[in-house]
């Protein structure tokens, strides 16, 4: 049996290739949006993609299942348990019920209904028939069972949360009860995903280890205790999740041409064309590094530097109903393409172009630019202590409780999209995060909202602690 994992670090998302080395057939489970990674893998290894499967209607990313099946002629297998649910798949596929399977030579992939994260969720038991036709080798658990945690049950709204949590309890107690301890667990996400709380850093485990170490698999928990533990410490649910549920149920549009920068889809704008597009409502996403953005950027641009966080923050803050134009340093095609990959993975499909020649061309032409002042930790501390410039800490609740500046105020990054309550648009404020990336995102948002006296703490709380400045934490 061939088995390969593909990790997309920005969304902490995992997809898998399962194949038979005898028949040279391949199945792809939970594919991401930019499907060429699977096409290239199959071609390189000499396999033919025959089957594409999704564990559920995803919220955190736009699925590549439909496009991959259409591109390869593979059969598309999705859950049969979406009927009359809030989200139902609206395009052609083969519905899978519990016990249904896909056979490829000696390899069998069998569906198991594991509701809880979503009502239609199915997981997949993978059997390597060359070794055993009765004992599964791998359990592809999607967003049902994570290493150290379970999938959150609250993404369909408050009214559905407890009902889904009860389903998760019964999935844990009944569905996986008789599976062997040695079964390899391969989840749909690792630590960093907002699809659950308390995920471990590793992305592979065994069912036996999870039974011993995963608090939600503790057999002594009754149903009420299980539910409170499951829903008691969930991270904020990104508000682009419902948008992706709609996209994935209606059918994501093909995006490979966008990723490939096909000129009929993604245009290289010159300076005048860019200004015209912005005047019509297009939004610029500047993917340069945070220091470059703070030093100089096009007025109104959102500053989300290219890297592992681009997918998440583009999902959070880039408007889904406006054309998006990318700006990098010099209009480098490969970086633009990689940035588009990050955006479409989070369901941002409205990229219409990029600035030809990048921000370098803007500066060479003498065009006006905006700046965001940077302050060092000592200066920020002095201004905070003398009430000259209050500080807003943009990190997560856990980061904040682990240690923050005395007198700082806590507001998570995504919550400043419409401003900061109690801070006037002309009042001074210093933004701080972990290292300066999120504060740059927030500063760009606030500048778009008309805030005029924003400063960034250079290096964030990392720099604050490195300077030996005091922090206070939750007892």
């Amino acid at each position: 049996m061939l088995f390969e994992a593909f990790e997309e670090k920005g969304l902490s998302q995992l997809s898998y290739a399962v194949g038979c080395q005898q028949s040279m057939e391949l199945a792809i489970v939970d594919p991401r949006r930019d499907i060429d990674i699977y096409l290239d893998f199959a071609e390189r290894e000499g396999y033919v993609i025959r089957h594409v499967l999704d564990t559920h209607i995803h919220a955190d990313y736009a699925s590549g299942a439909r496009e991959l099946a259409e591109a390869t002629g593979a059969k598309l297998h999705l859950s049969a348990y979406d009927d009359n649910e809030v989200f139902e798949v609206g395009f052609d596929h083969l519905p899978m019920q519990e016990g249904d399977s896909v056979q490829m030579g000696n390899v069998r992939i069998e569906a198991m209904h594991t509701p809880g994260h979503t009502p239609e969720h199915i997981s997949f038991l993978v059997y390597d028939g060359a070794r055993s036709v009765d004992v599964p080798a791998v359990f592809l658990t999607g967003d049902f069972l994570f290493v150290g945690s379970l999938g959150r049950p609250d993404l369909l709204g408050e009214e559905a949360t407890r009902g889904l949590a009860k389903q998760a309890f019964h999935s844990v107690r009944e569905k996986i009860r008789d599976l062997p301890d040695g079964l390899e667990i391969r989840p749909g996400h690792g630590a960093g995903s907002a699809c659950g709380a308390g995920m471990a850093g590793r992305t592979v485990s065994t069912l036996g280890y999870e039974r011993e170490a995963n608090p939600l698999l503790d057999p002594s928990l009754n149903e009420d205790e299980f539910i409170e533990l499951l829903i008691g410490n969930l991270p904020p649910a990104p508000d682009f999740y419902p948008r992706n549920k709609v996209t994935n149920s209606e059918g994501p549009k093909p995006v490979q041409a966008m990723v490939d920068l096909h000129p009929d889809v993604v245009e290289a704008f010159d300076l005048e064309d860019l200004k015209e597009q912005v005047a019509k409502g297009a939004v610029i996403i500047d993917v340069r590094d945070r220091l470059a953005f703070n030093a100089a950027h096009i007025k109104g641009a959102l500053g989300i530097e290219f890297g592992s966080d681009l997918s998440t923050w583009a999902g959070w803050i880039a408007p889904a109903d406006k054309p998006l134009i990318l700006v990098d340093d010099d209009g480098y095609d490969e970086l633009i393409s990689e940035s588009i990959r990050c955006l479409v993975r989070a369901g941002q499909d409205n990229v219409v172009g990029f600035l030809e020649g990048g921000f370098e061309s803007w500066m060479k032409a003498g065009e006006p630019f905006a700046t965001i002042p940077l302050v060092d930790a000592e200066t920020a501390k002095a201004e905070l202590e003398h009430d000259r410039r209050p500080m807003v800490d943009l990190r997560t609740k856990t980061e904040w409780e682990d240690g923050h500046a005395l007198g700082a105020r806590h507001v998570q990054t995504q919550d400043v999209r419409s401003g900061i309550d109690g801070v006037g648009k002309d009042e001074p404020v210093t933004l701080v995060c972990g290292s300066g990336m999120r504060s740059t995102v927030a500063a760009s948002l606030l500048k778009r909202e008309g805030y005029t006296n924003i400063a960034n703490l250079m290096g964030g709380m990392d720099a604050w602690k490195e300077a030996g400045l005091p922090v206070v934490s939750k007892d």
Side-chain angles (χ1 to χ4, degrees):
M1 181 179 78
L2 175 145
F3 187 87
E4 185 79 14
F6 304 87
E7 183 176 9
E8 200 289 289
K9 293 185 180 297
L11 296 169
S12 300
Q13 185 258 337
L14 294 156
S15 53
Y16 300 95
V18 180
C20 175
Q21 293 170 320
Q22 182 183 63
S23 68
M24 303 303 288
E25 297 173 284
L26 200 63
I28 306 296
V29 179
D30 284 342
R32 69 197 199 199
R33 195 76 173 283
D34 42 330
I35 62 170
D36 53 349
I37 187 174
Y38 311 109
L39 300 174
D40 292 346
F41 175 79
E43 181 179 7
R44 185 171 65 251
E45 300 296 326
Y47 282 74
V48 178
I49 298 175
R50 298 293 191 197
H51 304 277
V52 179
L53 307 92
D54 258 348
T55 52
H56 63 293
I57 300 171
H58 301 283
D60 59 304
Y61 69 98
S63 170
R66 185 186 190 188
E67 186 170 359
L68 182 58
E70 291 176 350
T72 60
K75 294 178 180 178
L76 177 59
H77 307 269
L78 305 176
S79 173
Y81 297 99
D82 61 330
D83 288 350
N84 300 314
E85 296 294 346
V86 176
F87 294 99
E88 296 183 71
V89 175
F91 51 91
D92 291 341
H93 64 280
L94 298 173
M96 291 193 82
Q97 298 185 13
E98 179 152 347
D100 288 348
S101 63
V102 167
Q103 189 78 40
M104 300 177 295
N106 288 322
V107 175
R108 184 170 94 254
I109 303 174
E110 183 179 304
M112 174 185 286
H113 186 210
T114 50
H117 176 62
T118 65
E120 83 285 351
H121 195 289
I122 54 177
S123 301
F124 298 110
L125 292 166
V126 181
Y127 294 81
D128 182 359
R131 302 194 65 191
S132 173
V133 296
D134 300 316
V135 180
V138 180
F139 195 20
L140 300 178
T141 56
D143 289 18
F144 160 51
L145 173 60
F146 298 126
V147 179
S149 187
L150 293 179
R152 64 190 303 161
D154 63 327
L155 298 182
L156 297 183
E158 186 175 346
E159 292 183 2
T161 296
R162 293 194 73 85
L164 284 170
K166 288 183 179 181
Q167 291 186 30
F169 178 78
H170 290 286
S171 291
V172 166
R173 291 300 172 87
E174 299 167 9
K175 293 302 182 82
I176 64 175
R177 178 181 54 205
D178 298 326
L179 294 177
D181 280 344
L183 183 58
E184 183 176 315
I185 301 299
R186 292 284 190 157
H189 296 283
S193 168
C195 286
M199 295 184 211
R202 299 187 67 214
T203 57
V204 60
S205 186
T206 64
L207 186 53
Y209 187 78
E210 292 307 301
R211 283 171 172 153
E212 294 293 331
N214 188 326
L216 288 159
L217 268 59
D218 182 349
S220 70
L221 294 173
N222 63 37
E223 186 177 272
D224 288 338
E225 291 170 337
F226 173 92
I227 290 172
E228 293 309 313
L229 183 60
L230 179 60
I231 67 178
N233 192 34
L234 294 172
D239 56 13
F240 66 90
Y241 277 18
R243 184 175 72 235
N244 282 337
K245 296 286 279 189
V246 172
T247 296
N248 287 328
S249 58
E250 293 180 348
K253 72 179 186 181
V255 294
Q256 196 60 49
M258 187 185 302
V259 170
D260 292 337
L261 302 185
H262 193 287
D264 290 341
V265 180
V266 179
E267 186 173 347
F269 293 113
D270 63 24
L271 297 179
E272 294 305 315
D273 288 336
L274 176 70
K275 288 186 279 188
E276 182 179 343
Q277 290 292 322
V278 170
K280 292 179 179 178
V283 174
I284 294 171
I285 297 182
D286 190 321
V287 298
R288 295 176 302 141
D289 72 75
R290 67 198 74 169
L291 292 179
F293 182 86
N294 282 282
H297 59 268
I298 300 171
K299 183 179 179 180
L302 295 173
I304 320 175
E305 70 179 31
F306 175 78
S308 60
D309 291 327
L310 177 54
S311 295
T312 297
W313 289 114
W316 266 114
I317 71 168
D321 58 347
K322 295 183 182 298
L324 304 176
I325 299 174
L326 301 182
V327 171
D328 68 349
D329 286 303
D330 55 10
Y332 181 45
D333 285 359
E334 184 172 344
L335 179 58
I336 295 296
S337 175
E338 290 300 313
S339 297
I340 291 175
R341 287 178 186 271
C342 293
L343 269 66
V344 299
R345 289 169 190 160
Q348 290 286 6
D349 293 356
N350 289 337
V351 180
V352 296
F354 61 96
L355 176 58
E356 188 174 23
F359 190 71
E360 183 178 328
S361 68
W362 185 270
M363 294 296 282
K364 285 182 177 179
E367 297 286 351
F369 58 88
T371 63
I372 299 170
L374 295 174
V375 297
D376 59 57
E378 293 283 1
T379 301
K381 177 177 180 291
E383 291 183 330
L384 176 63
E385 289 178 340
H386 291 89
D387 295 324
R388 291 195 296 266
R389 187 176 284 272
M391 179 182 292
V392 172
D393 191 318
L394 301 158
R395 296 173 300 156
T396 65
K397 179 182 177 183
T398 300
E399 290 174 297
W400 165 264
E401 291 177 345
D402 283 345
H404 56 270
L406 180 64
R409 174 182 171 188
H410 183 227
V411 182
Q412 294 192 96
T413 308
Q414 62 271 16
D415 295 330
V416 307
R417 284 172 291 180
S418 56
I420 304 174
D421 289 343
V423 177
K425 291 188 175 181
D426 294 325
E427 294 178 15
V429 64
T430 298
L431 304 179
V432 60
C433 63
S435 62
M437 190 274 181
R438 285 171 287 179
S439 61
T440 299
V441 171
S444 69
L445 283 165
L446 292 168
K447 295 274 281 188
R448 280 182 61 87
E449 290 294 318
Y451 283 73
T452 62
N453 204 347
I454 301 292
N456 265 344
L457 173 53
M458 184 169 58
M461 285 302 293
D462 290 347
W464 182 279
K465 294 174 182 177
E466 186 68 23
L469 301 180
V471 297
V472 292
S473 59
K474 182 180 179 181
D475 294 332

